[in-house]
């Protein structure tokens, strides 16, 4: 578990805590050193523009701000595997860009970033490898290059793989 950071679709936060208290609590669970947690909290709160709100109770946050705290909490221990379920929901365009950049940087460091999304255009631009899942079963795993080389779009590949749901 210490190697995994998870961003759920429906998160549960301790809303009476401030974001800083919550992030420190998560860092304690993962035994993150004080030096590393302070650096990561500073880096991510600046990145997601939460500096002015980090010491406010989470219950005062918008949905997007809560999503940002959830993302930071998943990264606080610098996990080898980062799993995100629909991570861009509720975020403003600047934050969406930052999350995508975090995903790219995390993968570039040799880590695994696994995320689910129904936004095929983002998947196509962000991913190297695609797994299509239907009813909890993996239907296909391909690289984006393999799909492109086949002459069809990712959207067409997806629809072909799951079968036309309208039939």
């Amino acid at each position: 578990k210490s190697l995994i950071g998870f961003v759920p679709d429906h998160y549960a936060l301790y809303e009476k805590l401030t974001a800083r208290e919550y992030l420190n609590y998560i860092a304690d669970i993962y035994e993150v050193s004080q030096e590393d947690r302070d650096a990561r909290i500073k880096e991510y709160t600046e990145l997601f523009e939460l500096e002015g709100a980090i010491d406010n109770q989470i219950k005062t946050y918008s949905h997007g701000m809560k999503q940002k705290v959830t993302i930071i909490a998943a990264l606080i221990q610098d996990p080898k595997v980062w799993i995100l379920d629909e991570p861009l929901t509720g975020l403003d365009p600047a934050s969406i860009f930052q999350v995508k950049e975090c995903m790219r940087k995390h993968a570039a460091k040799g880590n695994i970033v696994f995320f689910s999304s129904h936004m095929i255009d983002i998947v196509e631009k962000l991913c190297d490898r695609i797994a299509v899942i239907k009813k909890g079963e993996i239907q296909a795993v391909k690289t984006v290059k393999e799909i492109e080389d086949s002459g069809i779009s990712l959207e067409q590949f997806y629809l072909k793989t799951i079968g036309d749901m309208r039939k």
Side-chain angles (χ1 to χ4, degrees), residues 112-154:
I112 295 169
V113 177
F114 183 81
F115 84 105
S116 67
S117 179
H118 292 92
M119 297 162 46
I120 291 177
D121 56 327
I122 290 176
V123 171
E124 194 166 31
K125 291 176 185 169
L126 197 57
C127 297
D128 297 322
R129 208 166 158 194
I130 309 289
V132 177
I133 301 171
K134 179 180 177 183
K135 296 183 179 178
E137 299 284 327
I138 295 177
Q139 305 297 309
V141 178
K142 298 259 186 196
T143 66
V144 172
K145 182 166 177 14
E146 288 173 321
I147 296 167
E148 288 171 352
D149 289 349
S150 73
I152 63 172
S153 70
L154 178 56

Side-chain angles (χ1 to χ4, degrees), residues 13 22 32 37 39 43 49-50 59 62 71 76 99 119 124 127 134-135 141 143-144 147 160:
L13 300 169
Y22 179 76
V32 178
R37 80 177 60 185
E43 173 189 356
E49 300 177 344
L50 289 173
K59 69 181 180 183
S62 67
I71 290 167
I76 199 78
V99 171
M119 297 162 46
E124 194 166 31
C127 297
K134 179 180 177 183
K135 296 183 179 178
V141 178
T143 66
V144 172
I147 296 167
K160 179 182 167 195

